[in-house]
Amino acid sequence: MQAAIALCHFCETHGPRVVITCQPIRDASNSQIFPENSDRGLHSPCEPSTSGATSPTEPPKYYGDNLTVVEDPDARCDACTSLGTTSYLLSNDHLTRTSYISSQVAFSEIVLDRIRTSCLRSLSYEISIPQLSLTQKGPLKDVNASSSKTSNDQNEDGKDDGNIFYGDSEHGYTFALTFRIPDTKARGLQRLYSLLVVSNDPTFLLNSHDFFLQALRSIKDKLRSLAMETFRRENQQMREAEEPLRPENASRISRLPPNLISRRISLDTKRTLQTITGDEEIWIRLHRHMMWTLRAQTMRIGDVILEGVPTQDMLVMMEMDETEIEELDLDSPNSHNLTLLQLHNLKTIATTLLVDGCGDDLEMLLKHIVTGGQVVIESDSQPLCRQFLLSLTNLLPLGCAKMCGWSDVYQHRFMVNLLGCPLNTDIPLDAEECLVIRLLSNGCDGLLLDGTNMEIRRRPQFAALMPKIVPRFKQLLLDPEIVDTILETTLRSTREKWLAKAKQFYQLQRQSTKIGFDKATQLVRATPHDKMVLIFWQAGLSRAFKEHVHEIIREQDLLNQKTPQNGQSTAC
Amino acid sequence: MSSYGDDEIDDYAYGLDEAERAARPIVILTGLKRSGKTSIRKVVFQKMSPNETLFEESTARVTQDTVRSSFINFETVEFPGQLSPFDANTEDMFRRCGALLFIIDAQDDYTEAQKTMAQYFAQAYQINQNIKFEVFIHKVDGLPEESKLDTNFELFHKMKEDLSEQGLDKIMNTVSFHLTSIYDHSIFEAFSKVVQKLIKQLPTLERLLDIFNQSSNVEKSFLFDVVSKIYIATDSSPVEMATYELCCDMIDVTIDISAIYGSKNDGTSAFDEKSYAEIRLQTEQVLVLRQLSKHLALVCILRSENYEKKGLIEHNFNIFKMGIEKVFRVRKQMNSGIPHSNSSQVGSYQ
Ligand SMILES: Nc1nc2c(ncn2[C@@H]2O[C@H](COP(=O)(O)OP(=O)(O)OP(=O)(O)O)[C@@H](O)[C@H]2O)c(=O)[nH]1
Ligand SMILES: [Mg+2]
């Protein structure tokens, strides 16, 4: 149990009672069968089950080990009863292989015990910090308190209600929110409730303190606003039915003998939460609220593990062959220095092309590379040629750079997009969309491109539509203020930004409900000019990720076939 | 003359030192749900009007309050009727407990209440043998006169049976029964008796009042805590309910008149330690109120022919006041002189 959530009530007849508990049940590879006596329960992704939706012959399935059904240790009346002892609300979350079960009595001795102790504590012993508006001392406070009860509109919490954290290692830790909701038939016209998040792990509760506070408050607000409506309605009815209790007769009432008035105030302390909120589905509503509160936490923590640590480039690198890694110089121990050298060369290329080349040569090269065009370097020096190509790889995600540093024959662009070859290699004229650059060493040796001669020999067809990433790259490369280390970071973050877009694009494109091309482009906040980039850069996504996406979509499709009424989809 | 010693003894030791705080006795209110525990607390100590208690919520929390004025100094703790006060870790509280009140709703069937009460008393006795047990047979306003006494009698005997079954007969000696209602003065009267048992100086105070009565020809005098209308001491002649009610009303009248006609510009009430009032009744009696300190007032009733020698009464009153101040000085000295032995005696107040 990471955490469980419960709603508790101070019952007029029985004292503190746990009304409903929502607990997550995890793991275990095989699904099992629910206890025979359950008449409720259905599995659908994160939708609570209702009794009508599943056939009684097919018992609901859930994750986790066999549940132990625990006897209800408490006497109860309607006010402290929720689903009864034989009904449950179940939601299965297939992503995290977790089932969320809401029940009147928790499914584990330990959980039950912890929650009962905490329930007593939250309602009868713990006091929250007084709210600012109520901190005035002296008789004024009393006047306020009693008047706010009768003028029910604002209906503030009692002065000791609110949120509080308490616990110890023996009984577990609790984050609790106590509050009152209006009820015309209750003593003092209010009833006291509390919402608890119980966990063994205090750090978990404290780290998520604000989140839980917000979540529990929103449940409270919902319950209260529903109850307030009922309260107003019933008050109205009472006024109409009973003449003497009208406000204009108030002065007479105070002089009536007490027995007469108390007979007028008809108490009924055994009303259910359904009655006072006027919502038959209140338990399902609560289950949904509590389940999402727990689930959001699981997903938040899950997210960190799934995406926070390895980037797509890292995953791609793990999936690469030896030879590829060698080709791209990725196995070198001091890769950082190599990258700096490559970036220096990249800047040299950029400035040279800008000065020597005609017009838009630099932009053309950039666009050509990021949209997946082939670049061929003819050169008299193999090492320089290789450096040239390596520096260009910095403009692409790792998975998109298919490089061949030196080859005597031309290779097709589907095999290699960065190709180096000797001077005067035969490049077939029908090799479309190919950018050929001649690189002459001018007597330079070493690994620096300074002083070399670059000449563009063949230009691809060049449309003026620029993907947004091109001007960005150009700006970064030409700005003399940006030193190499900063250039490295900025280039990487630019790459990652666009790779993330490509990733979203990939996911959107593969949903079973088709999303149009333009729509998808718009959803990832790209322009039509960026389309080629988005498509080409999908090659930079890791196989692991792609398989993951496919798997989820397959599972959802299967589910949707089974429960066609359910259109909800969960994105990863 | 009236300000004699006021500075010196710090207005009868209103501020308490820490040692005393630890020694402050606790009055625990128990009883089944809706028996009237909250109503009693609110009516007696917070001046709530009885009808307003109809709108009281059921108490969910263990509620603690401090009641403090010169001689009176204790905490009240109310337990929700649905919980047993012995469930949680409350042993320390019972060690400090001076009086355990059990409130019984006399308008309801009280068999269950009686059973619970016997059980609570027995348990509390195991923890602290000095606790005074007080039974409030409450809401008697709805009962006819003769059944009040029947109820009292019946409860007394059932309790005796129950406790002697457990071999705890001796508890019965410390159990007192009171017939109470928030709709008249009986609740104040009963609470006065409870509180008096917590006041160490009671015998001295009673003696002082006796002397004052004799020498001034006064029929009856009460030493009142003005705010709560609890009397913390009276002379040794028996208390008649009617006399007590008369004195309570006298305090009310005085406070009201001072509030209406005497309020100063700074908003403080004109009712202070120098207040003085007298009311003549058709019955040839005079009611006299003399304020002794911020919280204490002496209210006495005497025949009008005895009130002709005002000077004598004035003189006696001043002597009496000095006597009271002395009692406090002794207490103060005891507290400041040996604070530690005082705090180590937590649990024994008498
Ligand atoms: N007739 C009559 N009614 C009383 C008296 N004292 C209290 N009541 C009524 O009894 C009801 C319950 O009183 P509470 O003071 O709230 O009872 P409680 O013991 O605090 O109840 P819990 O907090 O639930 O344990 C209220 O409606 C009061 O108006 C009394 O002396 N006479
Ligand atoms: Mg109460």
Side-chain angles (χ1 to χ4, degrees), chain A residues 187, chain B residues 32-39 53-54 56 58-59 78 81 107 138-139 141 181-183:
Chain A
R187 279 172 61 199
Chain B
L32 296 190
K33 68 185 169 80
R34 295 196 71 192
S35 52
K37 301 176 288 296
T38 312
S39 312
T53 63
L54 289 167
E56 267 307 304
S58 69
T59 312
E78 177 188 346
Q107 297 185 2
H138 193 54
K139 306 196 190 176
D141 49 287
S181 162
I182 51 168
Y183 287 97

